[in-house]
């Protein structure tokens, strides 16, 4: 989360009065005068709660908190206060509170500054306008502290004073009236505090239930996250296996292409041999034709040249026929070799096409596996984000529960005070009644004594 209000401490001096501060030091951003604000008091339970929170956050135990340690805590406390009071502060308002809390501009928050910041967030969430300068705070102790109920001291008996007969009755009536009013106001205050305590208890129960639900959702998200991680690992293993198969298919395809090239060269050689055989056949046919021509010529000249020349021509003709037969056999062998080379080339082409098809299928499966792994990874990331949201909700619920517990404790203390005040009022009322009865008795005795004196 961006620490917007943390980096502002070096740009805006804290508690440095501007021209507007000199002219009206008590004014707040909303124009509300500080003397018109009724700042709520902090109780001893509030201080103990803030001290406990500070100790939890102070991981290194140096007695100070940095912006990194405090930023999310301020936002969580802000969210918890908004649940109670219905108003959530903006980042700029949190930045102003940071500047007011970090009075010395050191960027480090000590326990007293932490209490002030938590107190100002609570007040701002309750609708109180926070001033820009610390000079606008009321003089004396700030934040104000609630007064602890004083211990009861034993009553000292005062010497009785003789008063006129009419004065004790008037005084007793006045004391009874004051005691009655005090008892009524104490009873009303007690009823109001009991009602507030019941409302806070209800809110606390709701927050506790919400925290339990958030915890359950967090556990479900954790289980889903583990399942998605296992699926992602399986997808990665499957992708690795498909990659290996793809590499093997590519190797087979390369081997098939090399074999196809060899077969092509053999086919070309057999084709060349076939052409050479055809040329030899043609030459043999030409020689045979020439031999026949010579044979005819020899036949015509046999009568004159004799039997020896005839035998020579016959031998040459037989040699030409043998050469022709040899050329025919060579052509047949060349044709057979060409057919075999053609068949091998076709087989190599089919093997290459099959290898290409397997390669394409392996690439497609690899792409599908990669896409599936990407989808599972995104699902796992979303599950992690949901888990983080649930953790923040849980922290928010815990903060709200702590605040509700603080308010409940404060309500209990106020209720105890009201009960003590009511008891004191009843005691005063009883004493007033006793004094009234005593005054009436003294008045009756005085009247009797007066009548007796008049009769004498």
């Amino acid at each position: 989360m961006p620490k917007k209000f943390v980096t502002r401490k070096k740009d805006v001096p804290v508690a440095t009065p501007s021209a507007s501060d000199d002219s009206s030091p008590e004014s707040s951003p909303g124009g509300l005068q500080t003397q018109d604000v009724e700042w709520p008091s902090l109780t001893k339970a509030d201080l103990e709660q803030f001290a406990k929170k500070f100790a939890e956050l102070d991981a290194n135990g140096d007695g100070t908190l940095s912006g990194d340690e405090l930023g999310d805590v301020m936002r969580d406390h802000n969210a918890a206060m908004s649940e109670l009071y219905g108003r959530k502060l903006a980042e700029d308002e949190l930045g102003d509170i940071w500047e007011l809390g970090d009075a010395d501009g050191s960027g480090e928050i000590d326990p007293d500054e932490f209490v002030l910041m938590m107190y100002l967030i609570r007040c701002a969430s309750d609708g109180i306008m926070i001033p820009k300068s610390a000079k606008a705070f009321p003089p004396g102790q700030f934040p104000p502290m609630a007064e602890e109920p004083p211990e009861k001291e034993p009553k000292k008996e005062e010497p009785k004073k003789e008063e006129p007969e009419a004065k004790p009755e008037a005084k007793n009536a006045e004391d009874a009236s004051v005691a009655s009013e005090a008892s009524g106001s104490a009873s009303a205050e007690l009823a109001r505090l009991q009602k507030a305590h019941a409302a806070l208890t209800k809110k606390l129960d709701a927050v506790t239930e919400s925290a339990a639900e958030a915890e359950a959702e967090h556990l479900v998200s954790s289980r889903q996250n583990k399942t998605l991680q296992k699926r992602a690992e399986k997808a990665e293993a499957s992708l690795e296996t498909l990659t290996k198969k793809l590499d093997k298919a590519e190797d087979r395809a390369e081997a098939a292409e090399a074999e196809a090239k060899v077969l092509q060269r053999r086919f070309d050689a057999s084709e060349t041999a076939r052409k050479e055989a055809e040329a030899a056949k043609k030459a043999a046919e030409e020689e045979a034709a020439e031999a026949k021509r010579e044979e005819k010529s020899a036949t015509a000249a046999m009568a004159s040249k004799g039997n020896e020349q005839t035998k020579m021509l016959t031998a040459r003709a037989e040699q030409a026929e043998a050469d022709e037969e040899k050329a025919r056999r060579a052509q047949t062998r060349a044709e057979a070799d060409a057919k075999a080379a053609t068949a091998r080339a076709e087989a190599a082409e089919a093997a290459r096409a099959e290898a290409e098809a397997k390669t394409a299928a392996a690439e497609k499966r690899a792409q599908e596996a990669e896409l599936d792994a990407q989808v599972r990874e995104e699902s796992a990331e979303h599950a992690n984000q949901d888990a983080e949201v649930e953790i923040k909700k849980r922290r928010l619920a815990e903060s709200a529960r702590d605040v509700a517990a603080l308010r409940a404790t404060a309500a209990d203390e106020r209720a105890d005070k009201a009960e003590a005040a009511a008891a004191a009022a009843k005691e005063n009322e009883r004493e007033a009644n006793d004094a009234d009865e005593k005054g009436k008795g003294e008045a009756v005795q005085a009247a009797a004594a007066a009548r007796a004196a008049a009769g004498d």
Side-chain angles (χ1 to χ4, degrees), residues 34 44 73 78 82 136 168 182 190 196 218 230 239 250 260 263 282-283 368 395 400 421 428:
T34 304
K44 185 178 180 181
V73 177
N78 178 26
S82 67
L190 179 60
H218 175 61
K230 290 182 180 179
L239 177 60
E250 290 177 351
L263 292 175
K282 187 175 181 181
E368 291 176 351
R395 290 173 59 188
N428 292 334

PDB file of all heavy atoms in Angstrom, residues 34 44 73 78 82 136 168 182 190 196 218 230 239 250 260 263 282-283 368 395 400 421 428:
ATOM      1  N   THR A  34     -11.606  25.702  18.132  1.00  0.00           N
ATOM      2  CA  THR A  34     -11.213  24.650  19.067  1.00  0.00           C
ATOM      3  C   THR A  34     -11.949  24.765  20.387  1.00  0.00           C
ATOM      4  O   THR A  34     -12.307  23.764  21.010  1.00  0.00           O
ATOM      5  CB  THR A  34      -9.696  24.720  19.291  1.00  0.00           C
ATOM      6  OG1 THR A  34      -9.042  24.636  18.025  1.00  0.00           O
ATOM      7  CG2 THR A  34      -9.235  23.575  20.163  1.00  0.00           C
ATOM      8  N   LYS A  44      -8.153   5.014  31.334  1.00  0.00           N
ATOM      9  CA  LYS A  44      -6.984   4.197  31.638  1.00  0.00           C
ATOM     10  C   LYS A  44      -6.969   2.941  30.769  1.00  0.00           C
ATOM     11  O   LYS A  44      -5.899   2.487  30.324  1.00  0.00           O
ATOM     12  CB  LYS A  44      -7.010   3.820  33.120  1.00  0.00           C
ATOM     13  CG  LYS A  44      -5.780   3.062  33.576  1.00  0.00           C
ATOM     14  CD  LYS A  44      -5.851   2.770  35.066  1.00  0.00           C
ATOM     15  CE  LYS A  44      -4.618   2.011  35.544  1.00  0.00           C
ATOM     16  NZ  LYS A  44      -4.677   1.705  36.994  1.00  0.00           N
ATOM     17  N   VAL A  73      -1.258   0.026  10.094  1.00  0.00           N
ATOM     18  CA  VAL A  73      -1.972   0.068  11.378  1.00  0.00           C
ATOM     19  C   VAL A  73      -2.910   1.269  11.424  1.00  0.00           C
ATOM     20  O   VAL A  73      -4.058   1.175  11.890  1.00  0.00           O
ATOM     21  CB  VAL A  73      -0.963   0.122  12.537  1.00  0.00           C
ATOM     22  CG1 VAL A  73      -1.698   0.246  13.865  1.00  0.00           C
ATOM     23  CG2 VAL A  73      -0.104  -1.122  12.534  1.00  0.00           C
ATOM     24  N   ASN A  78      -8.306   3.237  11.248  1.00  0.00           N
ATOM     25  CA  ASN A  78      -9.260   4.126  10.564  1.00  0.00           C
ATOM     26  C   ASN A  78     -10.488   3.342  10.113  1.00  0.00           C
ATOM     27  O   ASN A  78     -11.627   3.770  10.298  1.00  0.00           O
ATOM     28  CB  ASN A  78      -8.564   4.783   9.368  1.00  0.00           C
ATOM     29  CG  ASN A  78      -9.491   5.687   8.573  1.00  0.00           C
ATOM     30  OD1 ASN A  78     -10.474   6.216   9.112  1.00  0.00           O
ATOM     31  ND2 ASN A  78      -9.207   5.854   7.313  1.00  0.00           N
ATOM     32  N   SER A  82     -14.282   3.716  11.444  1.00  0.00           N
ATOM     33  CA  SER A  82     -15.381   4.016  10.515  1.00  0.00           C
ATOM     34  C   SER A  82     -16.539   3.054  10.708  1.00  0.00           C
ATOM     35  O   SER A  82     -17.698   3.406  10.470  1.00  0.00           O
ATOM     36  CB  SER A  82     -14.866   3.942   9.070  1.00  0.00           C
ATOM     37  OG  SER A  82     -14.506   2.615   8.735  1.00  0.00           O
ATOM     38  N   ALA A 136      -3.509  24.731  17.779  1.00  0.00           N
ATOM     39  CA  ALA A 136      -4.960  24.872  17.910  1.00  0.00           C
ATOM     40  C   ALA A 136      -5.547  23.956  18.982  1.00  0.00           C
ATOM     41  O   ALA A 136      -6.735  24.059  19.284  1.00  0.00           O
ATOM     42  CB  ALA A 136      -5.636  24.599  16.564  1.00  0.00           C
ATOM     43  N   PRO A 168     -34.256  24.709  59.638  1.00  0.00           N
ATOM     44  CA  PRO A 168     -33.989  23.286  59.382  1.00  0.00           C
ATOM     45  C   PRO A 168     -34.973  22.662  58.407  1.00  0.00           C
ATOM     46  O   PRO A 168     -34.594  21.866  57.559  1.00  0.00           O
ATOM     47  CB  PRO A 168     -34.109  22.660  60.757  1.00  0.00           C
ATOM     48  CG  PRO A 168     -33.815  23.776  61.699  1.00  0.00           C
ATOM     49  CD  PRO A 168     -34.364  24.985  61.055  1.00  0.00           C
ATOM     50  N   ALA A 182     -30.481  14.610  41.864  1.00  0.00           N
ATOM     51  CA  ALA A 182     -29.242  13.858  41.604  1.00  0.00           C
ATOM     52  C   ALA A 182     -29.537  12.383  41.355  1.00  0.00           C
ATOM     53  O   ALA A 182     -28.959  11.747  40.473  1.00  0.00           O
ATOM     54  CB  ALA A 182     -28.288  14.013  42.783  1.00  0.00           C
ATOM     55  N   LEU A 190     -27.422   6.166  34.220  1.00  0.00           N
ATOM     56  CA  LEU A 190     -27.205   4.723  34.313  1.00  0.00           C
ATOM     57  C   LEU A 190     -27.975   3.979  33.228  1.00  0.00           C
ATOM     58  O   LEU A 190     -27.450   3.053  32.582  1.00  0.00           O
ATOM     59  CB  LEU A 190     -27.622   4.242  35.704  1.00  0.00           C
ATOM     60  CG  LEU A 190     -27.482   2.729  35.958  1.00  0.00           C
ATOM     61  CD1 LEU A 190     -26.034   2.297  35.788  1.00  0.00           C
ATOM     62  CD2 LEU A 190     -28.006   2.372  37.341  1.00  0.00           C
ATOM     63  N   ALA A 196     -26.205   1.901  26.052  1.00  0.00           N
ATOM     64  CA  ALA A 196     -24.998   1.959  25.213  1.00  0.00           C
ATOM     65  C   ALA A 196     -24.170   0.696  25.359  1.00  0.00           C
ATOM     66  O   ALA A 196     -23.616   0.177  24.385  1.00  0.00           O
ATOM     67  CB  ALA A 196     -24.163   3.190  25.585  1.00  0.00           C
ATOM     68  N   HIS A 218     -10.901 -17.807   5.322  1.00  0.00           N
ATOM     69  CA  HIS A 218      -9.451 -17.847   5.125  1.00  0.00           C
ATOM     70  C   HIS A 218      -8.945 -19.286   5.052  1.00  0.00           C
ATOM     71  O   HIS A 218      -8.084 -19.620   4.226  1.00  0.00           O
ATOM     72  CB  HIS A 218      -8.757 -17.102   6.266  1.00  0.00           C
ATOM     73  CG  HIS A 218      -7.265 -17.192   6.229  1.00  0.00           C
ATOM     74  ND1 HIS A 218      -6.518 -16.704   5.178  1.00  0.00           N
ATOM     75  CD2 HIS A 218      -6.391 -17.720   7.110  1.00  0.00           C
ATOM     76  CE1 HIS A 218      -5.239 -16.941   5.416  1.00  0.00           C
ATOM     77  NE2 HIS A 218      -5.138 -17.547   6.572  1.00  0.00           N
ATOM     78  N   LYS A 230      -0.880 -27.604  -6.115  1.00  0.00           N
ATOM     79  CA  LYS A 230      -0.618 -28.981  -6.525  1.00  0.00           C
ATOM     80  C   LYS A 230      -0.963 -29.169  -8.000  1.00  0.00           C
ATOM     81  O   LYS A 230      -0.218 -29.816  -8.747  1.00  0.00           O
ATOM     82  CB  LYS A 230      -1.434 -29.947  -5.666  1.00  0.00           C
ATOM     83  CG  LYS A 230      -0.948 -30.025  -4.218  1.00  0.00           C
ATOM     84  CD  LYS A 230      -1.767 -31.025  -3.432  1.00  0.00           C
ATOM     85  CE  LYS A 230      -1.280 -31.106  -1.978  1.00  0.00           C
ATOM     86  NZ  LYS A 230      -2.093 -32.061  -1.180  1.00  0.00           N
ATOM     87  N   LEU A 239       3.912 -30.492 -18.579  1.00  0.00           N
ATOM     88  CA  LEU A 239       4.523 -29.642 -19.597  1.00  0.00           C
ATOM     89  C   LEU A 239       5.965 -30.074 -19.854  1.00  0.00           C
ATOM     90  O   LEU A 239       6.416 -30.115 -21.005  1.00  0.00           O
ATOM     91  CB  LEU A 239       4.476 -28.179 -19.150  1.00  0.00           C
ATOM     92  CG  LEU A 239       5.139 -27.158 -20.085  1.00  0.00           C
ATOM     93  CD1 LEU A 239       4.464 -27.179 -21.447  1.00  0.00           C
ATOM     94  CD2 LEU A 239       5.065 -25.771 -19.474  1.00  0.00           C
ATOM     95  N   GLU A 250      11.209 -33.906 -32.617  1.00  0.00           N
ATOM     96  CA  GLU A 250      12.034 -33.071 -33.494  1.00  0.00           C
ATOM     97  C   GLU A 250      13.297 -33.810 -33.928  1.00  0.00           C
ATOM     98  O   GLU A 250      13.728 -33.704 -35.088  1.00  0.00           O
ATOM     99  CB  GLU A 250      12.392 -31.782 -32.762  1.00  0.00           C
ATOM    100  CG  GLU A 250      11.196 -30.847 -32.567  1.00  0.00           C
ATOM    101  CD  GLU A 250      11.570 -29.608 -31.783  1.00  0.00           C
ATOM    102  OE1 GLU A 250      12.702 -29.574 -31.258  1.00  0.00           O
ATOM    103  OE2 GLU A 250      10.733 -28.681 -31.711  1.00  0.00           O
ATOM    104  N   ALA A 260      15.812 -38.849 -45.879  1.00  0.00           N
ATOM    105  CA  ALA A 260      15.166 -38.475 -47.141  1.00  0.00           C
ATOM    106  C   ALA A 260      16.183 -37.861 -48.106  1.00  0.00           C
ATOM    107  O   ALA A 260      16.143 -38.104 -49.314  1.00  0.00           O
ATOM    108  CB  ALA A 260      14.020 -37.505 -46.871  1.00  0.00           C
ATOM    109  N   LEU A 263      18.247 -40.716 -49.525  1.00  0.00           N
ATOM    110  CA  LEU A 263      17.451 -41.430 -50.527  1.00  0.00           C
ATOM    111  C   LEU A 263      17.303 -40.594 -51.803  1.00  0.00           C
ATOM    112  O   LEU A 263      17.304 -41.147 -52.923  1.00  0.00           O
ATOM    113  CB  LEU A 263      16.076 -41.775 -49.951  1.00  0.00           C
ATOM    114  CG  LEU A 263      16.080 -42.818 -48.821  1.00  0.00           C
ATOM    115  CD1 LEU A 263      14.677 -42.968 -48.256  1.00  0.00           C
ATOM    116  CD2 LEU A 263      16.590 -44.166 -49.329  1.00  0.00           C
ATOM    117  N   LYS A 282      20.852 -47.232 -76.642  1.00  0.00           N
ATOM    118  CA  LYS A 282      20.689 -46.565 -77.936  1.00  0.00           C
ATOM    119  C   LYS A 282      21.939 -46.746 -78.796  1.00  0.00           C
ATOM    120  O   LYS A 282      21.851 -47.021 -80.005  1.00  0.00           O
ATOM    121  CB  LYS A 282      20.421 -45.080 -77.694  1.00  0.00           C
ATOM    122  CG  LYS A 282      20.069 -44.334 -78.963  1.00  0.00           C
ATOM    123  CD  LYS A 282      19.706 -42.889 -78.614  1.00  0.00           C
ATOM    124  CE  LYS A 282      19.325 -42.133 -79.876  1.00  0.00           C
ATOM    125  NZ  LYS A 282      18.989 -40.728 -79.596  1.00  0.00           N
ATOM    126  N   ALA A 283      23.093 -46.634 -78.108  1.00  0.00           N
ATOM    127  CA  ALA A 283      24.342 -46.834 -78.864  1.00  0.00           C
ATOM    128  C   ALA A 283      24.452 -48.267 -79.364  1.00  0.00           C
ATOM    129  O   ALA A 283      24.889 -48.530 -80.503  1.00  0.00           O
ATOM    130  CB  ALA A 283      25.538 -46.495 -77.972  1.00  0.00           C
ATOM    131  N   GLU A 368      -1.306 -26.103 -25.104  1.00  0.00           N
ATOM    132  CA  GLU A 368      -2.470 -26.289 -24.229  1.00  0.00           C
ATOM    133  C   GLU A 368      -2.029 -26.469 -22.776  1.00  0.00           C
ATOM    134  O   GLU A 368      -2.629 -25.905 -21.854  1.00  0.00           O
ATOM    135  CB  GLU A 368      -3.271 -27.501 -24.686  1.00  0.00           C
ATOM    136  CG  GLU A 368      -3.972 -27.297 -26.035  1.00  0.00           C
ATOM    137  CD  GLU A 368      -4.677 -28.554 -26.503  1.00  0.00           C
ATOM    138  OE1 GLU A 368      -4.481 -29.624 -25.862  1.00  0.00           O
ATOM    139  OE2 GLU A 368      -5.411 -28.488 -27.516  1.00  0.00           O
ATOM    140  N   ARG A 395      -8.003  -8.789  10.351  1.00  0.00           N
ATOM    141  CA  ARG A 395      -7.326  -7.777  11.161  1.00  0.00           C
ATOM    142  C   ARG A 395      -8.269  -6.611  11.470  1.00  0.00           C
ATOM    143  O   ARG A 395      -8.283  -6.068  12.593  1.00  0.00           O
ATOM    144  CB  ARG A 395      -6.097  -7.268  10.422  1.00  0.00           C
ATOM    145  CG  ARG A 395      -4.978  -8.300  10.319  1.00  0.00           C
ATOM    146  CD  ARG A 395      -3.852  -7.835   9.444  1.00  0.00           C
ATOM    147  NE  ARG A 395      -3.272  -6.595   9.947  1.00  0.00           N
ATOM    148  CZ  ARG A 395      -2.368  -5.900   9.277  1.00  0.00           C
ATOM    149  NH1 ARG A 395      -1.961  -6.297   8.092  1.00  0.00           N
ATOM    150  NH2 ARG A 395      -1.883  -4.792   9.789  1.00  0.00           N
ATOM    151  N   ALA A 400     -11.726  -3.750  15.255  1.00  0.00           N
ATOM    152  CA  ALA A 400     -13.062  -3.318  15.665  1.00  0.00           C
ATOM    153  C   ALA A 400     -13.473  -3.962  16.982  1.00  0.00           C
ATOM    154  O   ALA A 400     -14.092  -3.342  17.844  1.00  0.00           O
ATOM    155  CB  ALA A 400     -14.074  -3.648  14.568  1.00  0.00           C
ATOM    156  N   ALA A 421     -22.705   7.288  42.016  1.00  0.00           N
ATOM    157  CA  ALA A 421     -23.371   8.573  42.207  1.00  0.00           C
ATOM    158  C   ALA A 421     -24.814   8.379  42.677  1.00  0.00           C
ATOM    159  O   ALA A 421     -25.309   9.124  43.535  1.00  0.00           O
ATOM    160  CB  ALA A 421     -23.335   9.374  40.911  1.00  0.00           C
ATOM    161  N   ASN A 428     -27.635  10.576  50.443  1.00  0.00           N
ATOM    162  CA  ASN A 428     -27.955  11.970  50.789  1.00  0.00           C
ATOM    163  C   ASN A 428     -29.443  12.142  51.031  1.00  0.00           C
ATOM    164  O   ASN A 428     -29.877  12.880  51.938  1.00  0.00           O
ATOM    165  CB  ASN A 428     -27.491  12.900  49.677  1.00  0.00           C
ATOM    166  CG  ASN A 428     -25.965  12.960  49.575  1.00  0.00           C
ATOM    167  OD1 ASN A 428     -25.284  12.723  50.576  1.00  0.00           O
ATOM    168  ND2 ASN A 428     -25.456  13.253  48.399  1.00  0.00           N
TER     169      ASN A 428
END
